[in-house]
């Protein structure tokens, strides 16, 4: 079933606002990872506005769904969505990577509410998520656990140790989303140390593997619905474009590191507004 027109317009508007916030943070901080952040905007927007059962005013609500952002270098995207959803005050975004600010370049769970785990060293989120999901199952709790990983991150061996364990523990409450943009920090995962055939690998480990377009809300909706209905742990392999939404950043490795100058920012904002 597809999203109603007004829900679609709402989601597109939110995603655009999130992209604008990311670009402004990247410009003010002169920090890296703008491409990595733009890649996951639509996934995070979908999660925070359609999927996750959370209470923005009570981030430690005991019946909440857990969301773990394992690709911690995508921090700006999570901060922007948390602000958009009303979990954190939008004013905090100005303090991103500033000495007097509260938002660091990589995720720190003690920085602001709504960050479930600290992350930055890649390859740990899934192991932590397996532990949380197992603990919830042991206590017969209905909370669900979601973890977002990069595709380059899936070249870490620790990911596959956790991937072997989740089906053994029957973690049907666990969903992984892989941001499959085929660019990590040094090139294309498919050309460096390839993990293809990717969906088949997860299936062979005992997972429900669903492929989706990570920039299409209808596609994400059917993928999350299938994951929710499965009795297995699920992985949503979401095809994305690094730098999505800004034509001169899309699928360009350099935007993993490049600084967003004032000129880049005004060109990007013009493009976002369709000018
Ligand atoms: C254990 C570890 N090794 C290396 C790095 C350096 N590093 C930061 S981001 C990145 C690339 C990650 O690529 P991917 O998971 O595809 O995420 P994307 O940038 O596409 O969002 C690397 C290698 C790290 N943070 N942690």
């Amino acid at each position: 079933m597809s999203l109603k027109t007004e829900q679609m317009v709402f989601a597109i508007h939110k995603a655009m606002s999130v992209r604008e916030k990311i670009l402004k943070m990247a410009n003010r901080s002169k920090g890296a990872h703008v491409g990595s952040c733009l890649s996951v905007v639509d996934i995070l927007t979908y999660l925070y506005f359609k999927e996750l059962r959370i209470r923005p005013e009570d981030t430690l609500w005991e019946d909440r769904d857990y969301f773990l952002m394992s690709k911690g270098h995508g921090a700006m995207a999570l901060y922007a969505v948390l602000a958009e959803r009303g979990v954190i005050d939008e004013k905090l975004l100005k303090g991103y990577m500033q000495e007097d600010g509260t938002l660091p370049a990589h995720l720190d769970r003690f920085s602001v509410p709504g960050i479930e785990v600290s992350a930055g060293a890649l390859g740990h989120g899934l192991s932590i998520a397996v532990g949380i999901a197992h603990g919830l199952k042991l206590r017969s709790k209905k909370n669900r656990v979601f973890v977002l990983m990069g595709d380059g991150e899936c070249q870490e061996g620790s990911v596959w140790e956790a991937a072997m364990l989740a089906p053994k523990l029957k973690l049907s409450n666990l969903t992984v989303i892989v941001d499959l943009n085929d660019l990590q920090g040094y090139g294309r995962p498919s050309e460096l140390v390839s993990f293809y055939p990717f969906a088949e690998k997860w299936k062979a480990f005992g997972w429900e593997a669903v492929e989706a377009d990570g920039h299409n809300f209808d596609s994400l909706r059917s993928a999350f619905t299938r994951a929710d209905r499965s009795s297995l742990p699920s992985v949503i392999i979401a095809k994305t474009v690094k730098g999505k939404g800004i034509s001169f950043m899309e699928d360009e490795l350099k935007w993993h590191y490049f600084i967003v100058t004032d000129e880049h920012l005004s060109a990007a904002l013009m493009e976002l507004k369709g000018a």
Side-chain angles (χ1 to χ4, degrees), residues 6-273:
E6 65 270 24
Q7 290 177 321
M8 190 66 88
V9 170
F10 175 82
I12 291 170
H13 176 77
K14 287 287 169 201
M16 195 194 293
S17 179
V18 170
R19 284 194 164 85
E20 186 176 331
K21 287 180 171 60
I22 291 170
L23 289 160
K24 288 182 176 168
M25 269 187 274
N27 168 254
R28 209 179 297 114
S29 63
K30 308 287 177 255
H33 304 138
V34 67
S36 310
C37 292
L38 293 172
S39 186
V40 292
V41 168
D42 302 305
I43 295 169
L44 289 181
T45 302
Y46 184 84
L47 273 165
Y48 274 86
F49 285 93
K50 289 302 294 176
E51 189 66 33
L52 293 179
R53 294 180 207 128
I54 54 164
R55 291 182 176 165
E57 68 293 351
D58 180 11
T59 52
L60 297 178
W61 175 42
E62 67 167 335
D63 292 332
R64 72 187 180 282
D65 287 338
Y66 288 76
F67 172 68
L68 283 69
M69 177 97 165
S70 189
K71 49 169 267 185
H73 61 290
M76 286 186 289
L78 183 56
Y79 300 146
V81 172
L82 290 178
E84 202 66 46
R85 187 70 177 79
V87 177
I88 63 171
D89 189 334
E90 191 172 330
K91 288 198 205 93
L92 293 178
L93 302 184
K94 288 218 161 97
Y96 171 69
M97 272 182 82
Q98 307 298 320
E99 274 190 14
D100 56 353
T102 47
L103 301 178
H106 293 83
L107 296 169
D108 173 355
R109 75 188 184 95
F110 300 109
S111 59
V112 284
I115 313 277
E116 294 283 2
V117 288
S118 302
L122 298 165
H124 299 294
L126 183 53
S127 299
I128 301 170
V130 165
I132 295 173
H134 185 46
L136 290 165
K137 278 249 159 173
L138 287 177
R139 289 184 290 133
S140 305
K141 299 275 292 175
K142 297 274 173 261
N143 319 47
R144 300 172 303 166
V145 183
F146 297 86
V147 54
L148 176 60
M149 299 193 296
D151 54 354
E153 183 174 7
C154 293
Q155 295 173 311
E156 294 282 351
S158 51
V159 168
W160 299 101
E161 289 180 43
M164 273 194 288
L165 184 58
K168 155 99 183 152
L169 297 174
K170 302 192 185 340
L171 300 183
S172 54
N173 54 348
L174 175 63
T175 299
V176 170
I177 307 107
V178 178
D179 169 31
L180 191 86
N181 58 31
D182 200 25
L183 275 178
Q184 41 110 298
Y186 307 109
R188 299 198 179 279
S190 57
E191 292 167 4
L192 294 165
V193 180
S194 174
F195 38 61
Y196 288 93
F198 198 43
E200 284 73 7
K201 277 207 174 68
W202 288 94
K203 283 181 195 163
F205 277 49
W207 289 65
E208 177 84 42
V210 189
E211 291 175 292
D213 176 342
H215 301 303
N216 178 304
F217 295 113
D218 276 336
S219 177
L220 287 169
R221 182 186 168 111
S222 31
F224 277 102
T225 305
R226 220 175 111 190
D228 205 39
R229 288 182 185 154
S230 177
S231 56
L232 304 172
S234 301
V235 57
I236 296 174
I237 299 171
K239 183 78 199 78
T240 54
V241 176
K242 203 153 168 168
K244 176 72 178 179
I246 307 301
S247 56
F248 60 91
M249 295 183 182
E250 285 190 359
D251 199 34
E252 288 282 349
L253 179 62
K254 65 186 181 195
W255 287 101
H256 187 85
Y257 304 103
F258 261 36
I259 287 167
V260 177
T261 63
D262 293 348
E263 293 71 34
H264 293 133
L265 179 66
S266 48
L269 293 183
M270 289 243 291
E271 192 177 328
L272 266 191
K273 288 176 182 145

